[in-house]
Amino acid sequence: MTNEDLRQAGQRWERSTRQDALDRVPERYEEFITTSGEPVAPLYTPLDVDGDYVERLGFPGEYPFTRGIHPTMYRGRLWTMRMFAGFGTAEETNARFKYLLEQGQTGLSVAFDLPTLMGYDTDAPEAEGEFGKCGVAVSSLRDVEVLFDGIPLDRVTTSMTINAPAAIIWAMYIAAAEKQGLPMHRLGGTIQNDILKEYIAQKEYVFPPKPSMRLVTDTIEFGSQHLPRWNTISISGYHIREAGSTAAQELAFTLADGMEYVRWALERGLDVDDFAPRLSFFFNCHNDFLEEIAKFRAARRIWAREMRHTFGAKNPRSWWMRFHTQTAGCSLTAQQPEVNVVRVAIQALAAVLGGTQSLHTNSLDEALALPGERAVTVALRTQQVIAHESGVANTVDPLGGSYALEALTDRLERRAYDVFEEVEALGGVLPAIEVGFFQQGIADAAYRYQREIDERRRVIVGVNEFVVDEPVEVPLLRMDPHGYERQCARLAQVREERDDAAVGQALDRLRIAAQGTENTMPYILDAVRRYATLQEIMDVFREVFGPYREPVIV
């Protein structure tokens, strides 16, 4: 059948078969849209799919990697089940890590509390009232030693969600591994280290963009030289989506950030094939099943093309987009929290069908508190059921070739390139941040989405439909009430026992390096090994780089 024959057949179907059905039973909505507000056609056919099969899809493990970066995908090895965890003290979080590993988790993921994320010690006045509320508190190497006590760091990969102080926390991890007798080249894991998305969405920046990008580039350079198994950056769309972006914005903004990091590393004089294989990504997975899968496929294809043709990478591993996925925290509801188990299962299945390399599944109680032990076990079991009972891991890219999926993939790809052109017209990522391009786009999308909920054009189960008036009976996590005192006591002991003169000298050397052009990582490591605290090191950078104040966008 030719395309013209198919087009005519489709028109006959539209005029007769479909119209007869509509005359009997009208459709539920005048217009069907994705979670991102994109229109959804009633039917997709080969006419909706662009280009040549090999050029657009290819085969798994081959350029352009639309169908996955590995030829065998989960038939060879399952994705890493990496549950995000961290609360209160290092001792409490260490116990949760060990519990999760006993339950079958295959990688660690560390959440830090707000003072740590902003580079303050637990006992700082700026940190008052924020201890342990959204993650574990880390003020010195001693905390990291306790955090990973009894966990052999050469047998597990660790992801750490930290950005402005990322280089310092990474240095603490390296030093803690050295205490276990492990050289840094044996360590595997990821530091998020994505400062650009902080200016765009999450707002946990400390320094201005340019010195912050210098620190990120320092870690990329250091990692490529000394930690061949470490991902020195996890370019994150997750928080962009949590702030209210569409799937297309998440895709485009994240990849634009990724390409900006590549440019900075190239300007440093690094060879693209020396660092690109260790770049990783971190995406959100929201409720719209097909749109999310299409987003992951489009991301792989765009990244492969740009790395190969724009940046001239020769190593096929440099073309790979390897990514972690977390189910959408912003989709969870405090109302009827048990329903969140269903949402998370759908999102996790989409992540797996989209070809993720690792996955965190949110717990049903996270709209109310940090996850309790029972809730986090159900979240982990969700991944295990998908892996071992659903059958979707038995074949590579089982949805590939779906006309609807491929059409959505092509559309998201076009949307991304439209954004790249707009960013380039503004002078690049940093100028676009300064004029509020990304921020305004997210705000507009979030406003539209909320308006659709308020006007009941979008159903959120338990929120604006199927509402019940009953108390929430989910047991909530309670942290150690004496954790803050114990954390502060440990920090005081560190300050008392260390060699203050050696710490001062290490900080002075770091200050000189920060004022110049040397890579700061060796100096950060030296200070950390001498038990300089997180805030003491961050204060050196605050002194040299100054603070950042976001411009007012009118």
Side-chain angles (χ1 to χ4, degrees):
M1 177 178 283
T2 67
N3 282 350
E4 183 56 33
D5 292 337
L6 181 57
R7 186 174 293 105
Q8 291 178 8
Q11 290 171 350
R12 286 195 301 272
W13 173 82
E14 184 75 39
R15 289 193 304 265
S16 59
T17 306
R18 182 167 184 266
Q19 189 58 54
D20 288 346
L22 291 174
D23 290 341
R24 293 192 301 273
V25 182
E27 291 184 335
R28 292 178 291 118
Y29 301 107
E30 290 185 8
E31 180 186 30
F32 287 79
I33 58 174
T34 68
T35 297
S36 298
E38 296 280 359
V40 178
L43 181 72
Y44 292 89
T45 74
L47 295 176
D48 296 294
V49 180
D50 295 335
D52 175 79
Y53 176 89
V54 174
E55 177 189 347
R56 304 295 291 171
L57 295 182
F59 292 91
E62 293 183 359
Y63 181 88
F65 305 105
T66 312
R67 305 199 67 180
I69 62 172
H70 298 301
T72 58
M73 286 303 289
Y74 308 131
R75 286 170 64 100
R77 185 174 68 183
L78 292 171
W79 62 93
T80 302
M81 299 181 191
R82 192 185 301 280
M83 301 296 290
F84 195 37
F87 52 92
T89 63
E91 290 90 346
E92 292 173 276
T93 305
N94 175 268
R96 174 62 63 88
F97 285 165
K98 290 175 178 175
Y99 172 80
L100 287 168
L101 290 170
E102 289 169 359
Q103 298 305 311
Q105 174 173 286
T106 52
L108 299 179
S109 183
V110 188
F112 298 94
D113 73 358
L114 186 58
T116 306
L117 293 170
M118 300 305 293
Y120 291 107
D121 292 341
T122 298
D123 60 359
E126 295 89 345
E128 185 175 355
E130 295 294 337
F131 165 75
K133 288 186 176 178
C134 64
V136 62
V138 169
S139 299
S140 76
L141 171 59
R142 187 69 50 79
D143 294 324
V144 180
E145 293 168 4
V146 173
L147 183 61
F148 296 103
D149 180 53
I151 299 173
L153 297 183
D154 59 337
R155 299 182 195 171
V156 66
T157 58
T158 303
S159 173
M160 294 182 284
T161 302
I162 192 82
N163 293 287
I168 303 166
I169 297 297
W170 187 36
M172 291 179 180
Y173 187 89
I174 293 169
E178 290 172 345
K179 296 275 186 177
Q180 293 187 6
L182 301 173
M184 63 181 75
H185 71 265
R186 291 177 58 185
L187 302 180
T190 304
I191 43 171
Q192 191 164 100
N193 204 20
D194 178 8
I195 202 62
L196 289 175
K197 65 97 168 123
E198 296 297 337
Y199 302 109
I200 291 171
Q202 198 173 26
K203 309 302 181 183
E204 288 169 358
Y205 47 71
V206 176
F207 316 119
K210 287 185 177 179
S212 294
M213 287 293 287
R214 180 254 179 111
L215 292 177
V216 172
T217 309
D218 284 352
T219 59
I220 293 173
E221 181 179 42
F222 188 84
S224 67
Q225 294 170 347
H226 302 289
L227 286 88
R229 297 177 56 226
W230 197 276
N231 303 320
T232 47
I233 186 167
S234 178
I235 305 149
S236 176
Y238 184 84
H239 308 89
I240 292 170
R241 192 65 177 279
E242 290 289 290
S245 81
T246 65
Q249 287 172 328
E250 180 192 0
L251 170 67
F253 294 177
T254 305
L255 269 61
D257 288 351
M259 288 185 275
E260 186 68 9
Y261 292 120
V262 171
R263 292 186 188 98
W264 275 71
L266 293 175
E267 289 173 7
R268 175 67 65 89
L270 303 181
D271 184 282
V272 65
D273 286 318
D274 286 342
F275 68 85
R278 300 316 304 180
L279 299 177
S280 64
F281 288 79
F282 174 24
F283 286 109
N284 194 297
C285 198
H286 214 289
N287 285 330
D288 199 304
F289 192 70
L290 290 181
E291 184 175 55
E292 294 303 299
I293 298 169
K295 178 185 70 182
F296 300 135
R297 294 162 65 81
R300 274 194 298 270
R301 190 159 72 201
I302 294 169
W303 188 251
R305 180 187 301 118
E306 295 304 311
M307 293 306 298
R308 184 177 186 178
H309 296 296
T310 300
F311 296 108
K314 301 293 192 297
N315 182 355
R317 291 183 68 93
S318 299
W319 309 336
W320 288 5
M321 167 172 278
R322 298 171 302 113
F323 66 94
H324 171 73
T325 308
Q326 181 171 340
T327 57
C330 61
S331 73
L332 304 182
T333 63
Q335 302 92 329
Q336 301 179 46
E338 296 87 351
V339 179
N340 291 329
V341 175
V342 182
R343 294 186 177 99
V344 168
I346 292 169
Q347 295 163 8
L349 183 59
V352 170
L353 290 170
T356 193
Q357 274 62 66
S358 65
L359 178 61
H360 164 90
T361 32
N362 289 328
S363 299
L364 66 93
D365 53 358
E366 289 192 51
L368 301 165
L370 291 169
E373 193 170 275
R374 184 172 182 180
V376 79
T377 304
V378 171
L380 177 59
R381 295 287 183 259
T382 301
Q383 294 197 47
Q384 292 164 338
V385 168
I386 291 172
H388 300 290
E389 298 184 33
S390 72
V392 299
N394 294 344
T395 189
V396 181
D397 190 31
L399 295 188
S402 156
Y403 303 135
L405 182 61
E406 303 305 349
L408 285 168
T409 301
D410 292 343
R411 183 167 67 189
L412 283 166
E413 183 177 17
R414 290 192 296 270
R415 295 278 191 271
Y417 276 98
D418 289 343
V419 170
F420 298 159
E421 290 179 6
E422 292 182 83
V423 171
E424 185 176 355
L426 291 169
V429 172
L430 268 61
I433 288 172
E434 290 293 342
V435 299
F437 169 77
F438 301 105
Q439 301 93 313
Q440 189 64 58
I442 293 171
D444 291 344
Y447 175 74
R448 174 195 55 77
Y449 184 80
Q450 187 60 50
R451 190 177 68 234
E452 290 168 356
I453 295 172
D454 294 342
E455 294 173 358
R456 301 169 74 94
R457 288 186 288 137
R458 185 179 296 280
V459 171
I460 306 297
V461 174
V463 175
N464 63 355
E465 284 285 359
F466 315 109
V467 178
V468 296
D469 184 15
E470 60 184 26
V472 174
E473 296 181 351
V474 174
L476 300 181
L477 176 72
R478 303 297 179 192
M479 292 190 300
D480 180 356
H482 304 294
Y484 177 76
E485 288 79 10
R486 290 196 290 110
Q487 168 73 6
C488 289
R490 179 161 57 238
L491 182 54
Q493 183 179 15
V494 165
R495 291 181 180 131
E496 181 180 348
E497 293 177 350
R498 70 186 185 180
D499 184 337
D500 283 341
V503 170
Q505 292 168 1
L507 294 174
D508 287 341
R509 289 190 290 269
L510 174 61
R511 184 177 296 103
I512 293 168
Q515 291 168 339
T517 58
E518 286 187 85
N519 190 308
T520 56
M521 270 304 300
Y523 299 96
I524 295 171
L525 263 169
D526 182 46
V528 160
R529 288 170 178 141
R530 298 175 188 276
Y531 290 92
T533 70
L534 172 67
Q535 183 168 344
E536 288 170 336
I537 298 172
M538 286 291 285
D539 282 348
V540 169
F541 291 134
R542 287 187 180 96
E543 176 188 333
V544 175
F545 300 149
Y548 179 68
R549 298 287 182 266
E550 186 172 34
V552 176
I553 309 300
V554 180

Short mmCIF file of all heavy atoms in Angstrom, two decimals, residues 416-438:
data_model
loop_
_atom_site.label_atom_id
_atom_site.label_comp_id
_atom_site.label_asym_id
_atom_site.label_seq_id
_atom_site.Cartn_x
_atom_site.Cartn_y
_atom_site.Cartn_z
N ALA A 416 12.35 20.27 21.09
CA ALA A 416 13.66 20.50 21.71
C ALA A 416 14.53 21.37 20.82
O ALA A 416 15.16 22.33 21.30
CB ALA A 416 14.35 19.17 22.00
N TYR A 417 14.56 21.09 19.54
CA TYR A 417 15.40 21.90 18.65
C TYR A 417 14.87 23.32 18.51
O TYR A 417 15.66 24.27 18.32
CB TYR A 417 15.53 21.21 17.28
CG TYR A 417 16.64 20.17 17.30
CD1 TYR A 417 16.35 18.82 17.47
CD2 TYR A 417 17.97 20.55 17.18
CE1 TYR A 417 17.37 17.87 17.52
CE2 TYR A 417 18.99 19.61 17.22
CZ TYR A 417 18.68 18.28 17.39
OH TYR A 417 19.70 17.35 17.44
N ASP A 418 13.57 23.52 18.64
CA ASP A 418 13.04 24.89 18.67
C ASP A 418 13.62 25.65 19.87
O ASP A 418 13.99 26.83 19.75
CB ASP A 418 11.51 24.86 18.77
CG ASP A 418 10.85 24.39 17.48
OD1 ASP A 418 11.52 24.40 16.42
OD2 ASP A 418 9.66 24.01 17.54
N VAL A 419 13.68 24.97 21.02
CA VAL A 419 14.23 25.61 22.21
C VAL A 419 15.72 25.89 22.03
O VAL A 419 16.22 26.97 22.40
CB VAL A 419 13.99 24.73 23.46
CG1 VAL A 419 14.77 25.26 24.66
CG2 VAL A 419 12.50 24.67 23.78
N PHE A 420 16.47 24.94 21.47
CA PHE A 420 17.91 25.15 21.26
C PHE A 420 18.14 26.41 20.43
O PHE A 420 19.06 27.20 20.70
CB PHE A 420 18.54 23.96 20.54
CG PHE A 420 18.46 22.66 21.29
CD1 PHE A 420 18.58 21.45 20.61
CD2 PHE A 420 18.26 22.62 22.66
CE1 PHE A 420 18.51 20.24 21.29
CE2 PHE A 420 18.20 21.42 23.35
CZ PHE A 420 18.31 20.23 22.65
N GLU A 421 17.31 26.63 19.41
CA GLU A 421 17.45 27.82 18.57
C GLU A 421 17.17 29.09 19.36
O GLU A 421 17.87 30.10 19.20
CB GLU A 421 16.51 27.71 17.37
CG GLU A 421 16.91 26.65 16.35
CD GLU A 421 15.94 26.56 15.20
OE1 GLU A 421 15.00 27.39 15.13
OE2 GLU A 421 16.10 25.65 14.35
N GLU A 422 16.16 29.05 20.23
CA GLU A 422 15.85 30.23 21.05
C GLU A 422 16.99 30.53 22.02
O GLU A 422 17.35 31.70 22.21
CB GLU A 422 14.56 29.99 21.83
CG GLU A 422 13.31 29.92 20.99
CD GLU A 422 12.05 29.71 21.82
OE1 GLU A 422 11.54 30.73 22.34
OE2 GLU A 422 11.60 28.56 21.97
N VAL A 423 17.56 29.50 22.63
CA VAL A 423 18.68 29.69 23.56
C VAL A 423 19.88 30.27 22.82
O VAL A 423 20.55 31.20 23.30
CB VAL A 423 19.04 28.37 24.26
CG1 VAL A 423 20.33 28.51 25.06
CG2 VAL A 423 17.89 27.93 25.18
N GLU A 424 20.16 29.74 21.66
CA GLU A 424 21.30 30.25 20.87
C GLU A 424 21.09 31.71 20.49
O GLU A 424 22.03 32.52 20.52
CB GLU A 424 21.47 29.39 19.62
CG GLU A 424 22.70 29.76 18.79
CD GLU A 424 22.89 28.84 17.60
OE1 GLU A 424 22.15 27.86 17.45
OE2 GLU A 424 23.82 29.12 16.80
N ALA A 425 19.85 32.08 20.15
CA ALA A 425 19.56 33.47 19.79
C ALA A 425 19.77 34.42 20.96
O ALA A 425 20.09 35.61 20.76
CB ALA A 425 18.12 33.57 19.27
N LEU A 426 19.61 33.89 22.18
CA LEU A 426 19.82 34.71 23.38
C LEU A 426 21.30 34.79 23.78
O LEU A 426 21.64 35.50 24.73
CB LEU A 426 19.00 34.17 24.54
CG LEU A 426 17.48 34.32 24.42
CD1 LEU A 426 16.76 33.50 25.49
CD2 LEU A 426 17.07 35.79 24.51
N GLY A 427 22.15 34.04 23.11
CA GLY A 427 23.58 34.07 23.40
C GLY A 427 24.09 32.88 24.15
O GLY A 427 25.26 32.83 24.53
N GLY A 428 23.23 31.88 24.43
CA GLY A 428 23.67 30.69 25.14
C GLY A 428 22.92 30.50 26.44
O GLY A 428 22.04 31.28 26.82
N VAL A 429 23.29 29.44 27.17
CA VAL A 429 22.55 29.05 28.37
C VAL A 429 22.67 30.10 29.47
O VAL A 429 21.66 30.49 30.08
CB VAL A 429 23.04 27.68 28.87
CG1 VAL A 429 22.43 27.35 30.24
CG2 VAL A 429 22.67 26.58 27.88
N LEU A 430 23.88 30.58 29.75
CA LEU A 430 24.03 31.54 30.86
C LEU A 430 23.29 32.84 30.58
O LEU A 430 22.57 33.34 31.46
CB LEU A 430 25.51 31.79 31.16
CG LEU A 430 26.11 30.88 32.25
CD1 LEU A 430 26.03 29.40 31.86
CD2 LEU A 430 27.55 31.25 32.56
N PRO A 431 23.41 33.45 29.40
CA PRO A 431 22.61 34.64 29.12
C PRO A 431 21.10 34.36 29.18
O PRO A 431 20.32 35.22 29.64
CB PRO A 431 23.04 35.04 27.70
CG PRO A 431 24.41 34.50 27.56
CD PRO A 431 24.40 33.21 28.32
N ALA A 432 20.68 33.17 28.75
CA ALA A 432 19.25 32.82 28.81
C ALA A 432 18.77 32.73 30.25
O ALA A 432 17.63 33.10 30.57
CB ALA A 432 19.00 31.51 28.07
N ILE A 433 19.64 32.24 31.15
CA ILE A 433 19.30 32.22 32.57
C ILE A 433 19.15 33.64 33.10
O ILE A 433 18.20 33.96 33.83
CB ILE A 433 20.37 31.45 33.36
CG1 ILE A 433 20.27 29.94 33.08
CG2 ILE A 433 20.24 31.71 34.87
CD1 ILE A 433 21.41 29.13 33.66
N GLU A 434 20.08 34.51 32.74
CA GLU A 434 20.08 35.88 33.26
C GLU A 434 18.83 36.66 32.85
O GLU A 434 18.36 37.52 33.60
CB GLU A 434 21.34 36.61 32.79
CG GLU A 434 22.63 36.10 33.42
CD GLU A 434 22.71 36.38 34.92
OE1 GLU A 434 21.96 37.26 35.42
OE2 GLU A 434 23.51 35.72 35.61
N VAL A 435 18.28 36.38 31.66
CA VAL A 435 17.08 37.09 31.23
C VAL A 435 15.80 36.35 31.60
O VAL A 435 14.70 36.80 31.27
CB VAL A 435 17.10 37.38 29.71
CG1 VAL A 435 18.30 38.24 29.35
CG2 VAL A 435 17.09 36.09 28.89
N GLY A 436 15.94 35.20 32.28
CA GLY A 436 14.77 34.48 32.78
C GLY A 436 14.04 33.66 31.75
O GLY A 436 12.86 33.30 31.94
N PHE A 437 14.72 33.28 30.66
CA PHE A 437 14.05 32.51 29.60
C PHE A 437 13.52 31.18 30.14
O PHE A 437 12.34 30.84 29.94
CB PHE A 437 15.02 32.27 28.45
CG PHE A 437 14.54 31.27 27.43
CD1 PHE A 437 13.59 31.64 26.49
CD2 PHE A 437 15.02 29.96 27.42
CE1 PHE A 437 13.13 30.72 25.55
CE2 PHE A 437 14.56 29.04 26.48
CZ PHE A 437 13.62 29.43 25.54
N PHE A 438 14.37 30.41 30.78
CA PHE A 438 13.96 29.11 31.30
C PHE A 438 12.92 29.27 32.41
O PHE A 438 11.91 28.56 32.45
CB PHE A 438 15.16 28.34 31.84
CG PHE A 438 16.26 28.10 30.84
CD1 PHE A 438 17.43 28.83 30.90
CD2 PHE A 438 16.12 27.15 29.84
CE1 PHE A 438 18.46 28.60 29.99
CE2 PHE A 438 17.13 26.91 28.93
CZ PHE A 438 18.30 27.65 29.00
#
